[in-house]
Each structure stands twice: as C-alpha cells, then as structure tokens.
Amino acid sequence: MEIEVLTTIEEAKQCARLMTESDPWITLKRNYNHCLKLFLDRSRDIFILKDAEKVIAFCVVHTNCFPQPYIKSLGVHADYRRKGIGNSLLKFAEEKYGGINGKIFIAVSSFNNDARKLYERAGYRKVGEFDNYATVGHSEIILQKSLAEKPKVVNKGPVYVSTDKNEMDVDFIFDNLKNLYWTINLTRENLAGRILNSICFGVFANGKQVGFARVVTDYFSFAYLADVFVTEKERGKGYSRVLIEYILEYPVLKDIKWLLATRDMHGLYAKFGFTGVGSPDRFMGKNGWKSF
C-alpha cells in the first residue's frame, strides 16, 4: 500500500464516511456533509492510503494559512489501527514538508488520548491549548515538532518540473511574460496574484528555471492552462514537452476537461490531444476574449 493524493469524488466520499465513524469527529458531532466539504476543498493537501479500492486512512495538511505546515486531520479505519499506519502518515507529512520553516504542528482534542500518545511518541510536544474551542467542555491541544531542514533540491536530475512556489523565479517569469502577446500591461502585482491563486509549474534545467505554466481549476471538472512559456534561448530542447506531460499527469488534474487559448502553438498542444473548440453558439467570453 502506498500513500497517494486524493483525486476523485468517490475517494472524498469514503474519507468523509470514515471521518464520521471515528473519534474525535463523533464526539465533535461532525456529520457527513460537514466532513465531505473538508475533502472537497483542494486548498488543502489531502493524502490517502487504500487497501484495494477501499480508503483506510487519510491525512489533511494546511500549507498556506500558517507559517508552518499544519496537519489538520489524520484518521485511520478502526480495522487498520495499531499497524503503524498513523505513524507512516506522520512521517510522510514530515518528510514532504520538512523544508518549510523546519517545523510542523497538529491539534488534538483533549479527550482523544490515543491520538495524543501517538503524536507524542513521534516527537510532538505541547506548545499551546485552546479551551472550549471545538466543543464545550474540551480543549484543543496544539502540538509541534521541529524537523531537520532538507535541501531545496534533492536528486532531481538535470531536468525536472516543480510545483513548489518557493522555487519559482518570479523575476525570470515576469521578464519572460511581460513581452508576450497575451500579457499586455502585466504588472508584478498582477503576476503575484496569478501565482498565488493558481497551481504553478516550473521546468528547471541544471538548477535554473527555463519555463513556466499555471493552471486555474476547480479540481473536479475543469482546468484552464495559462501563461505557458519556455524562455527563448532554451527552446527546441524538449522542455515544453516535459512541462506539458507533467501537468497533464499531475494527480489532482487527471481526467478533467481542459481548455487553453493559443495563437501559434496549436501543433504542440495537438500532440497531447488538444483540439480546436469551434462552438461559438455555446462558448462566450468577456473582457478581452474576443480580441484574444
């Protein structure tokens, strides 16, 4: 069994059912609809473990709302507990997010003694407590663990694609985008907003960024591919193919409808199955789409 990214609505539904059948969520009186919203919200990183097609564990991590990563929820099916699965999920999160400020934290309900013992055995220590926070009569205990800083790039090879926004060279991206036909009047502030509110992909060669793309999506039905480029002096080396292949195989973007707009790169995108959308009776645009 391998830990994987949650990608389908069916997986989200199984996670929600697992959550409603487990403490602390039973005591906290979280119903199925409340739990399902958590797993449909892709502003969080959600990882699962499956036995065949059955979801047996999940881990939900916030990376944008606090300076350090925050494990919001971790759950294991009752039939699979005391088999090291919870500890494996913790180690997975720690290894994945260890380079973000060198710390990670988690909250545990005061009545959830088994979970607190698991976290403390894993090296988490209490740093705070909120009384009567999630439910009256109980507190939420904040536990934190210091992690060893990991190198920014570890054995990624001469050419690789990254979605880590901390790796993106914003000056490089701005200098390349500002002169392209679809980014007239682009400002650094506008670019920052685009990056913050999209899934971003950078292609790197020999440690330097050579290309970029971003995706705007609802994660379940639709994705728009935008701002794709490889810097001029690095074109013709296959980097655009590496970038597009990576994007289309990205776990949370598989099996959904895609849309893009291009003036001169039809041949490239056709290689990946994109075709013209010639239905003006159905598709409409506003604020520049007609001239685009």
Side-chain angles (χ1 to χ4, degrees):
M1 295 184 291
E2 293 185 1
I3 297 171
E4 57 191 87
V5 176
L6 183 149
T7 58
T8 70
I9 292 178
E10 176 58 31
E11 290 168 348
K13 290 164 65 175
Q14 288 192 45
C15 287
R17 286 193 289 269
L18 173 55
M19 180 174 269
T20 58
E21 296 167 357
S22 310
D23 256 334
W25 302 284
I26 293 174
T27 302
L28 297 175
K29 299 180 180 179
R30 300 294 188 258
N31 61 34
Y32 172 79
N33 288 332
H34 177 98
C35 295
L36 183 60
K37 288 180 182 179
L38 170 68
F39 294 103
L40 294 179
D41 183 354
R42 294 299 177 79
S43 65
R44 307 170 175 96
D45 293 345
I46 305 175
F47 304 98
I48 58 174
L49 196 62
K50 296 169 71 174
D51 185 358
E53 294 302 309
K54 177 182 178 180
V55 175
I56 62 170
F58 59 79
C59 180
V60 182
V61 184
H62 276 288
T63 59
N64 297 319
C65 57
F66 301 106
Q68 294 88 27
Y70 165 48
I71 301 175
K72 177 177 175 57
S73 302
L74 189 153
V76 179
H77 191 285
D79 295 340
Y80 293 83
R81 292 173 189 163
R82 292 178 171 81
K83 296 182 179 182
I85 292 175
N87 199 48
S88 295
L89 286 168
L90 285 176
K91 288 183 178 179
F92 174 85
E94 292 165 9
E95 291 175 2
K96 182 173 180 63
Y97 302 105
I100 306 178
N101 294 324
K103 296 181 185 297
I104 192 168
F105 68 98
I106 192 168
V108 60
S109 300
S110 57
F111 58 83
N112 197 359
N113 293 321
D114 287 344
R116 183 173 181 180
K117 289 177 182 177
L118 167 67
Y119 304 147
E120 289 178 340
R121 285 197 302 269
Y124 289 78
R125 298 293 178 261
K126 179 179 176 180
V127 294
E129 187 168 0
F130 296 123
D131 293 330
N132 298 312
Y133 183 72
T135 186
V136 176
H138 299 286
S139 61
E140 290 298 302
I141 300 168
I142 310 303
L143 305 173
Q144 189 178 65
K145 182 177 181 178
S146 296
L147 305 173
E149 292 281 357
K150 63 181 181 181
K152 197 168 190 177
V153 177
V154 182
N155 298 325
K156 290 188 175 181
V159 179
Y160 68 92
V161 178
S162 175
T163 58
D164 184 351
K165 293 179 182 178
N166 293 316
E167 280 196 68
M168 303 299 163
D169 185 338
V170 178
D171 289 335
F172 164 82
I173 297 169
F174 179 76
D175 289 341
N176 279 270
L177 279 179
K178 68 181 181 181
N179 296 318
L180 297 176
Y181 66 88
W182 70 86
T183 53
I184 298 173
N185 299 322
L186 178 70
T187 65
R188 289 181 181 273
E189 292 79 9
N190 181 279
L191 175 60
R194 295 184 187 199
I195 291 174
L196 287 170
N197 293 286
S198 305
I199 305 177
C200 295
F201 300 84
V203 58
F204 296 77
N206 300 313
K208 293 185 178 181
Q209 188 165 2
V210 297
F212 174 79
R214 66 185 182 90
V215 175
V216 181
T217 182
D218 63 7
Y219 294 94
F220 290 97
S221 65
F222 173 81
Y224 179 72
L225 181 60
D227 292 342
V228 184
F229 75 84
V230 170
T231 193
E232 187 171 1
K233 66 180 181 180
E234 299 291 347
R235 293 172 189 168
K237 300 180 181 180
Y239 298 143
S240 59
R241 176 183 56 79
V242 171
L243 179 60
I244 302 302
E245 284 181 348
Y246 187 94
I247 293 170
L248 296 179
E249 290 298 316
Y250 196 63
V252 298
L253 297 176
K254 295 178 73 172
D255 302 320
I256 60 177
K257 294 182 178 68
W258 284 90
L259 184 68
L260 62 82
T262 183
R263 189 170 69 183
D264 52 10
M265 296 301 293
H266 300 78
L268 170 65
Y269 296 118
K271 295 176 182 178
F272 297 96
F274 286 88
T275 59
V277 180
S279 301
D281 57 323
R282 294 191 179 187
F283 290 92
M284 301 179 71
K286 184 179 178 181
N287 292 339
W289 279 99
K290 186 174 181 180
S291 61
F292 187 92

